Each structure stands twice: as C-alpha cells, then as structure tokens.
Amino acid sequence: MLVQFLVCMTATISFALLFAAPKSELLFCGLTGAIGWIVYLACMNLGTGTAIANLTATFALAVISRTIAAIRKNPVTLYLISGIFPLVPGAGIYYMSYYFIMNEMSECSQYGMETIKVAGAIVLGIVFGSSLPQAWFNALGKAGKKRT
Amino acid sequence: MAVTKEVLSLAVETGDALLRNGAEVYRVEDTVMHILEAYEIENYDVYVLSNGIFASANEDRDDACSMVRHIPLGKMHLGRIAALNQLSREICSHECTLPEAFRRLEECKSIPTNRQWLEVFFCGMGSACFGYLFGGAFADAAVSFLAGALLKLFLNRLSKRRTSKFITNIFGSALVTLVSLFLYTIGLPILYDKAIIGAIMPLVPGIALTTSIRDFFNGDYLSGAIHMIDAVLTAFCIAVGVGSVITVYRFSIGGAL
C-alpha cells in the first residue's frame, strides 16, 4: 500500500510538472492524487466494484482539492486536474479497442460499458464534491491560516 | 475614474490569458466581472465560451466599449492560472493601479514552461509509474518509461508544426504501441498491454473530461459539450491508434498475439 502511495505520488507529480504547475504546489498535487488512488484501492479491496470505487475516490479527491485550494489560496483546478489522472479510465480505452480489433465483441462491450460507467462515476464524484457549500472550505482555509 | 476602454481591455486580456491556459469557463467569467467591478464599472455584460470571450461595458454612455476574443483550445499551464488568480485577487482588493496591473499581466503571461528535456523525462516517469500502478512489473514500467519519453519527444516535434489533434493522438498512441510491441517481439519478458496502458496515459483526456464536468456543473452547457466532444474524440483517436498497430502486427506475425 505504501509503495502504491509513493508511486502514485510520483506519477501525479510528473504529470503536474507536464502541465507546468508551480513548484511550490507540486507536493500538494502529488498528495491529492495519491490519496485519491488509495481511496480507490481501499474501496476495491472492500469489493465495491469499479464504479462505486471511482465515485468514492473522485469525491474524496474533489473534497481534498477544494480544502487544499482554500488553504493555499489557489484555484481548485490546479489540484483536481493533476489528481484525476490515476482514475481516468485509460486501461478501459485500451482493452476496449484491443478486443474490438480481436473481434471478441462480448469482451469489447464489457470493457466499453465499464469505461462508460467509470467515466460516469467520475462525473458524479466531481459533481457531489463540487456541490458542498464553499463556506465550509473557506472556514477551513481560515483555520489553516491561523495555524501558520 | 479610469477610462472604460482600458479597464475592459485589462479585464478581457486577463480572461483571455486564463482561458488560453486552460481555466474553466466559470472562473474566467468570474474574474472578468470582478476586475470590471474593482475599477467601478457597474454596467457590463460578459459572455464566455470555451473558445471565445464577448464583453461590453457602459453601453449607455459615450465611452461605450465592447470586445470579442477568439481563443483556440490550448495547452494547459497551471502555473499561469495560479499566478493570474493571484493577480485578480490583488486587483479586487484594490492593491493594483491600472498600469501596474497591465505590467503584472504581462509577467503572468510570460511564465515559462519547463525545459524540454525535463518534460520528456517526467512524461516517461509518469508513464512508468502508471504502468506499475495498473499492474505491471518493473520491466513493464521501464518499457513504459521509454515509450512515454519517446511519445513526448514526438508530441513536442509535432506541436511546432500545428498538426491537427486527430493526427497527433492517433500517431502518438500508434507510436507507443509500436515501441512496446517491438520490444516484446525481440524477446523482452514484458506484459506489453500494461506497458502500453502506462504510456498512453499522457494522451488520455483527463483534463478535457474534468473541465467538461465542471462546466456542466456551473451551468455552461455549451462549453461543457465542447470539452466533452473533445474528450470523446481523443479517446476514440487513441483507440484507433492502438488498434491499427495491433491489427498490422497480427497480420505480419500470423495471428499469434
């Protein structure tokens, strides 16, 4: 689990660098991505299936991104975009096209539906995360400011 | 009181820079409005799409002014978005005079991207990590690293020539598949599918999907639809690129994949 956490953090930081995130925020970008991935893994271990796992993970990701954004006074986009990459269904796209080419239609449609379900779960996760009132996060931001 | 035209041009210019670097529509609209209000313009209208800004101010007065901008979907630059956000925060708390704000805006716009070899290295690094996360072993991750780094070199080369996005994505994913399959064929003990999945991650439309959802959430359906189409087409192009190389490979080797 720890290895997964560190590897995912490296992956997220690498991608954040590709999108030219400010150097001071790289660590936080990595943290959001890694936490999202760990939540995903934890849900998968509990046997919830990919859709629910993705939903929970993106929800956690959105909430954490907004919290850090409020504390660090930066746009949410910064953390959300770097953090979403581990959850985006890249593997789904690959297997779908692979089985399509191999003419195994049942596998292909299974992976296709899976990909669409995951994309839908990500949508709902971000929507739920975004709909929490901004006032909560502002309060968190103020509390963080007092501490520093 | 400042001249309408200059204020509007500052506001629209800031919005332009934000949108060009990949901010979501809601943020751009909000920023433009706040800057206009900070310089005491009460009578204004702003309409932002994912690739255009329309704004007018003080329509009922002599110095009425309106501006239209066309902004192509561009490359993400999070550093500039953060800097512009900071700038607009300062403008709103009246810490910036107008000339000062223009100067700061230019500074924000010229924040450099990372050096090219650094980007190539980190693209490989990211790919390798994802190859590992999606169930590959160390060897698969190493192949992902190579393929990802090559992919970024290829993308950098193409971006100088303004190639269409379709071509970029199809050939990019084809290149990745080719590299992985080649290394597999010459006998490296790898799971080529894990290596490919890791290395196509830089192409996968995570940003377009996220931006689209957030646009929808804020009620900007048109911009959301534009980004959603972008995401779906990109995914489709990746599938075509990967698929076509695998097909050719199967034919040339006789179906033994």
Side-chain angles (χ1 to χ4, degrees), chain B residues 220-238:
Chain B
D220 301 310
Y221 296 128
L222 192 51
S223 305
I226 292 173
H227 283 293
M228 189 57 89
I229 293 172
D230 188 33
V232 170
L233 284 181
T234 308
F236 176 73
C237 287
I238 295 174

Side-chain angles (χ1 to χ4, degrees), chain A residues 3-4 7 11 14-15 17-20 37 75 77-78 81 84-86 88 94-95 97-98 101-102 123 130, chain B residues 24 27 76-79 114 119 122 126 129-130 132-133 192-194 201 204 207 214 217 239 243 246-247 250:
Chain A
V3 177
Q4 291 271 330
V7 171
S14 305
F15 272 59
L17 263 167
L18 282 186
F19 304 125
W37 178 250
T77 324
L78 198 68
I81 283 196
I84 202 85
F85 264 92
V88 170
Y94 169 79
Y95 284 119
S97 57
Y98 176 76
I101 298 295
M102 301 309 256
V123 171
S130 311
Chain B
E24 72 273 23
R27 177 177 306 283
M76 196 84 190
H77 193 308
L78 292 171
N114 287 312
E119 277 195 343
F122 278 106
C129 291
F130 280 122
Y132 177 82
L133 285 181
Y192 61 89
D193 53 343
K194 305 293 181 200
M201 283 313 278
V204 168
I207 297 179
R214 302 188 65 206
F217 181 75
I246 292 184
T247 319
R250 268 180 80 208

Side-chain angles (χ1 to χ4, degrees), chain B residues 25-247:
Chain B
V25 167
Y26 169 76
R27 177 177 306 283
V28 177
E29 215 163 74
D30 211 42
T31 308
V32 175
M33 283 182 186
H34 276 120
I35 293 179
L36 288 175
E37 273 170 18
Y39 290 111
E40 290 162 2
I41 290 182
E42 304 294 330
N43 185 357
Y44 59 81
D45 266 299
V46 182
Y47 181 51
V48 180
L49 282 179
S50 61
N51 47 8
I53 299 180
F54 311 83
S56 69
N58 287 339
E59 288 273 80
D60 53 350
R61 294 195 345 204
D62 275 349
D63 58 347
C65 185
S66 57
M67 289 188 184
V68 177
R69 286 293 166 90
H70 168 238
I71 297 134
L73 292 180
K75 203 180 161 222
M76 196 84 190
H77 193 308
L78 292 171
R80 289 186 193 152
I81 296 180
L84 286 164
N85 193 51
Q86 185 58 34
L87 173 64
S88 88
R89 217 181 267 277
E90 279 170 28
I91 292 177
C92 289
S93 55
H94 303 280
E95 288 170 19
C96 258
T97 60
L98 204 53
E100 165 94 11
F102 267 111
R103 196 179 53 73
R104 288 280 305 279
L105 177 60
E106 284 309 313
E107 266 172 34
C108 289
K109 276 201 280 189
S110 56
I111 294 176
T113 48
N114 287 312
R115 249 167 281 142
Q116 212 166 42
W117 61 266
L118 207 67
E119 277 195 343
V120 170
F121 175 77
F122 278 106
C123 191
M125 195 67 193
S127 305
C129 291
F130 280 122
Y132 177 82
L133 285 181
F134 294 130
F138 185 74
D140 310 326
V143 174
S144 280
F145 181 89
L146 187 68
L150 279 175
L151 171 68
K152 187 68 197 172
L153 273 177
F154 176 73
L155 291 180
N156 280 343
R157 180 57 63 83
L158 277 189
S159 70
K160 282 183 195 136
R161 293 191 178 179
R162 304 176 58 84
T163 324
S164 117
K165 224 172 160 179
F166 288 94
I167 300 295
T168 317
N169 285 320
I170 292 178
F171 280 92
S173 52
L175 174 82
V176 164
T177 318
L178 207 61
V179 170
S180 310
L181 282 180
F182 175 72
L183 290 174
Y184 174 72
T185 317
I186 62 171
L188 284 186
I190 56 168
L191 300 164
Y192 61 89
D193 53 343
K194 305 293 181 200
I196 294 173
I197 292 169
I200 58 173
M201 283 313 278
L203 292 174
V204 168
I207 297 179
L209 183 67
T210 316
T211 318
S212 144
I213 300 163
R214 302 188 65 206
D215 284 344
F216 275 124
F217 181 75
N218 292 317
D220 301 310
Y221 296 128
L222 192 51
S223 305
I226 292 173
H227 283 293
M228 189 57 89
I229 293 172
D230 188 33
V232 170
L233 284 181
T234 308
F236 176 73
C237 287
I238 295 174
V240 169
V242 172
S244 51
V245 171
I246 292 184
T247 319

Side-chain angles (χ1 to χ4, degrees), chain A:
Chain A
M1 208 68 149
L2 186 67
V3 177
Q4 291 271 330
F5 187 83
L6 289 178
V7 171
C8 187
M9 202 156 156
T10 323
T12 318
I13 290 179
S14 305
F15 272 59
L17 263 167
L18 282 186
F19 304 125
K23 301 233 161 25
S24 54
E25 307 302 324
L26 283 180
L27 195 63
F28 296 100
C29 294
L31 215 55
T32 47
I35 292 175
W37 178 250
I38 290 299
V39 171
Y40 171 79
L41 284 185
C43 289
M44 289 301 275
N45 276 346
L46 290 175
T48 51
T50 42
I52 299 289
N54 269 295
L55 176 71
T56 323
T58 19
F59 177 72
L61 182 70
V63 171
I64 294 164
S65 303
R66 289 185 70 188
T67 312
I68 296 184
I71 293 174
R72 305 280 302 172
K73 297 225 174 308
N74 268 322
V76 188
T77 324
L78 198 68
Y79 309 101
L80 196 57
I81 283 196
S82 341
I84 202 85
F85 264 92
L87 302 171
V88 170
I93 297 176
Y94 169 79
Y95 284 119
M96 193 176 75
S97 57
Y98 176 76
Y99 286 115
F100 184 75
I101 298 295
M102 301 309 256
N103 218 5
E104 289 173 29
M105 282 309 153
S106 66
E107 296 274 349
C108 169
S109 60
Q110 188 199 326
Y111 275 106
M113 286 318 287
E114 189 85 25
T115 308
I116 293 170
K117 257 160 70 182
V118 167
I122 291 177
V123 171
L124 284 181
I126 296 182
V127 166
F128 289 154
S130 311
S131 54
L132 298 177
Q134 182 63 35
W136 297 1
F137 295 98
N138 288 345
L140 273 174
K142 271 186 197 127
K145 210 177 176 185
K146 263 175 213 158
R147 245 185 290 125
T148 48

